[in-house]
Amino acid sequence: MRRWFRRLQFWVHGARLDEELLEEIETHRALRQAALAERGVDDVTASRRAMGNVTLAREESRDARIWIGLDDLARDVRHGFRGLARQRTFTTFAITTIALGTGTLASVLSIVFAVLVRPVPYPNANRIVQIGQVIDGRTRSEVSTADVTALREASQSLSRVTIAWFSSASLAGEGLPERARLVYTDWQGFDLLGVRPVIGRVPTAADEARDADPVVIIGYRLWSQRFGAARDVIGRPLRVDGQPYTIIAVMPPEFRFPAPYWAAGDLWLLRGPSHPSWPTSRARTVLAFGLMKPGATIERAQAEADVVAAGLDARFPDPGGRIGLRLTTWAETVKSTTRPRLMFIVGIAFVVFLIAGVNVTNLVLSRGLARRREFAARIALGAGSGRLARQLLTEAGVLFAVGGALGLIIAIWGSRLIVAVASFDIPRMEEAVVDGGVAAVAIAITLMAAIGVGLASALQARTARLSPLPDVAARGASHSRRWRACQRALVAIEVALALVLLTNAAVLLDGARKLARVDPGFDVSGVLHARVSLPPEKYGKSSAEVAFYERVLERLLALPGVTAAAAVNVPPGVGGHGGPLVALDDDPVPASVRDLRSADLRVVTSRYFETLRLEPRAGRVFSEVDARSLPVAVVNEAFVRQYFAGRSPIGRRLRVTFDGIGELDTSPRSIVGIVPDIREKTLYEPVPATVYVPLRQADWRFGLRMALLVRTARASVDLVPSVRAAIASVDPEQAAFGFMPLAELMASELSVNRLILALLSVLSTMAVFLAVVGVYGMSAQSVRHRTREIGIRIALGGSQSGILRLVLREGGILALAGIAAGASMSIWTADLLRSAVNGLDRASPGTFVFAAIVLAGAVFTGCYVPARRAARIDPAIVLRVE
Amino acid sequence: MGLTNTTSDLLPGTLELLILQALVSGAKHGYGIVEHLRLASDDILQIGESALYPALQRLLVNGWVAAKWGVSENNRRARYYTLTPMGRRQLASERAEFDRMVSLVQRILEA
């Protein structure tokens, strides 16, 4: 302890001590000289012999005094800054490169931290499990309320089992009607997550009693936006989908169910598994979560769930096979769904950082070559190699410290940008922030890079030796050639990495382009999309929902510019909603859902086909009359191909199940028409067999959630206020939401990839740019280095084009080496990309060739400029200078 | 041996031990220490500045010697080093250690 203190003292008084030491050594020298003189050695020799190595003595004494030479460090830092300030171009470029590299890395790390590293804001987080159904070995995240009830009764390990279902609702009461994100759960859900409300009280079992006052719990966003964060909001009424509720609590912003989407709710309504609105079968309708008792293990809980599942199989026999239950810890759920995609982005960020690092290494090595004379002189004057290494490490450190600090600032802004651009559902991604942890990891990685670069330049400096002819040493010694080879290798690596990013970007772009070219089979343009969700309490009875749509559509059609309007349960761009749901008239009576034929079901109003500009291929489409006449259906061509082997189905009859559990239409429907296939969702995959059914002839529940499609002659978004007004005039408590042009809804399939595409485009452009700069630097330096040789060549009659070729060949070899090395890596990463991004084709060889050509062109440009310079060398001037 | 600028032909740490020993007989400046060691070793051991001063600095840092400015025989300002009580203890323990080591080496060589 005291020793440290003394060292510190020494350091503080460093300058004085240094002078004292000098004086002391001077005395020593004088004494020795006198002694030598006494022994008869002549003055000059005596003084020379007495001198010894004063500098070394001083340096090493200082080293002994201050342990790792704190003052050296301070001086090196000063020196480093001064050197960097002198070489402005070098510094600007190096720091920018580092800043971009670190910035990219830290932005991406901030997302990884938010999603995978930072602890979840629930006190019980590590005891929460998600419950899924296992059918044919595949785990589905939805389960039935019967599963939940059975688990509640039988499981010893789970103290709480709750459900969650995400929906939306119209709000009325105070303020304007608006849409809000609604979550159905029950009191156990609040208990399970263990989050305290901001104000108010969490619900209890008593709130769910049949005769209890209906209560609603609201979220932070709704509280601050709709209620102005008023403290007295508790106890106020709120109309949700027309029903009155009393607000009992405001939950903090982080309160949300750990569902696959982590959807944040605006309000929560209590609707437990035994609520009459849920089906009593094993139909998958809700998400379920459990809370393990303290000390319980997931294995034990799973074993109990297996017993429960066996019991359920006995109670609800399903000839299709057994339906298992599977518990997954929630942390595992989050990680397994997001890790591949995140890791891919992290990979990209590392590649960019690597390119940045390689580029800086190259810059520093180039600068090192230019400084050989300085290093050689310092070594000759007695600077220890350790001392020199320390200085170069410090210089690299200064460079990376400044660049890294800038990079962190970029990242603060960059992580927000990524979150904003990324429209996809990575849970908790919006929590991404550059905090201490992120900064620490980024700084650690940057520091490692700094040490790597510093060591490389120190190694290089060690080889600097003064030869008797300093000029020759500075120019062409063999070790300097070795360093140049090393630099060339680095440039080739850069080119290779750039190629990897470029091909991946090309593969994605290619995918996007192909997707844009696919003809969806109907006219997407000029159609506005909006969603409506009606409250079951008000619209469940006597076809009220059908009347609602008929009146709304009538008003919409009356608007100027509107040529057609319709409602559909699943609009194009959303897709799905298919499954085993059709039985043809000559099919045997189905024993279970699994015996039905698979098809997508579209419940539509009569002008649906007109709105999409679909003409029937045979027969007719629906008319107003169908609503009140015999049951009918329209099928698409895929349906005819699949189930009628291409023969005409007109006049044949089929039955449809609307509940997904096998309850068929009471009376069969006649097939009255065939419409062309349209690609609604996956533009790559074949169009599924589809059955269209008029809304009026469908189960009433379909009417509760429909999409409105309005075709106009004008730009479709102008229509939004008119659509709102039309709905309000029919029912002021309902609000439409999700307004967007249908074309945009269709395009959102790609939106998942938009982030990766945007990142890859920007980053690969940057990578190519960095590679070009690297190649340029390499060539320029090589030309400078060979000025004399080129001068002689020209003097001896070498042609300009010959010189041009000479320099270009050097760059070309580099580019080829880089591209060759990058090609195999690209193929591998493109496969990786395909596994991370849905709907990508296997990259065609053309894509790779294209990327390689682009890169080769860029590299060529990079060495063309120095090559031109070389070709214009005037031998007279060059040789005279020598 | 000529000008010895390194301690490479001494066992590590031996130089410090010798310096401490040189100071037992009283305060000395740097050159005085070198001369003392030269005379005591019959002209064999000639310590150079680049070995001596770093060693002295280490001793100072450890608090085993103290330094005071005085005037040398040729009327220059010189720094005189004295043993501190801690240095005396250190010398005793290092001496014991050195003896042990030498006898060890000897035993091996004679075996």
Side-chain angles (χ1 to χ4, degrees), chain A residues 103-161:
Chain A
T104 315
L105 196 61
S107 318
V108 169
L109 281 176
S110 73
I111 292 165
V112 175
F113 266 67
V115 178
L116 295 180
V117 179
R118 209 166 295 143
V120 291
Y122 301 135
N124 306 329
N126 51 4
R127 291 195 284 133
I128 297 176
V129 294
Q130 184 168 1
I131 300 150
Q133 276 191 355
V134 185
I135 301 167
D136 295 338
R138 274 186 61 199
T139 306
R140 316 289 188 108
S141 49
E142 293 92 1
V143 299
S144 72
T145 47
D147 299 337
V148 174
T149 317
L151 268 177
R152 269 191 184 176
E153 283 162 7
S155 177
Q156 296 298 311
S157 303
L158 300 176
S159 61
R160 295 278 180 265
V161 183

Side-chain angles (χ1 to χ4, degrees), chain A residues 3 6 23-24 27-28 35, chain B residues 31 53 61-62 77 81:
Chain A
R3 194 179 307 172
R6 263 193 296 269
E23 185 176 355
E24 193 178 358
T27 306
H28 188 122
Chain B
Y31 183 70
Y53 286 98
V61 165
N62 287 322
R77 233 158 74 88
Y81 294 87

Side-chain angles (χ1 to χ4, degrees), chain A residues 825-841:
Chain A
M825 263 198 288
S826 306
I827 292 167
W828 178 67
T829 53
D831 278 350
L832 215 65
L833 178 71
R834 243 160 28 99
S835 67
V837 175
N838 300 325
L840 272 188
D841 263 350

Side-chain angles (χ1 to χ4, degrees), chain A residues 3 6-7 10 20-21 23-24 26-28 30-32 35 49-51 57 60-61 64-65, chain B residues 3 29-31 34 49-50 52-54 57-58 60-63 69 74 76-79 81:
Chain A
R3 194 179 307 172
R6 263 193 296 269
R7 281 195 163 158
F10 280 135
E20 284 183 2
L21 187 67
E23 185 176 355
E24 193 178 358
E26 191 46 42
T27 306
H28 188 122
L31 284 168
R32 187 150 81 178
R49 274 179 60 185
M51 197 168 92
E60 290 195 358
S61 302
R65 203 165 62 216
Chain B
L3 283 171
H29 51 61
Y31 183 70
V34 172
E49 295 91 321
S50 57
L52 175 70
Y53 286 98
Q57 292 293 338
R58 279 192 289 275
L60 276 172
V61 165
N62 287 322
W69 285 98
N74 61 348
R76 294 183 77 110
R77 233 158 74 88
R79 204 135 63 140
Y81 294 87

Side-chain angles (χ1 to χ4, degrees), chain A residues 536-556:
Chain A
E537 290 81 359
K538 190 168 173 184
Y539 281 96
K541 303 167 273 285
S542 60
S543 300
E545 82 287 353
V546 178
F548 172 83
Y549 291 111
E550 280 175 356
R551 283 166 63 194
V552 168
L553 291 174
E554 199 177 299
R555 270 162 223 227
L556 289 176

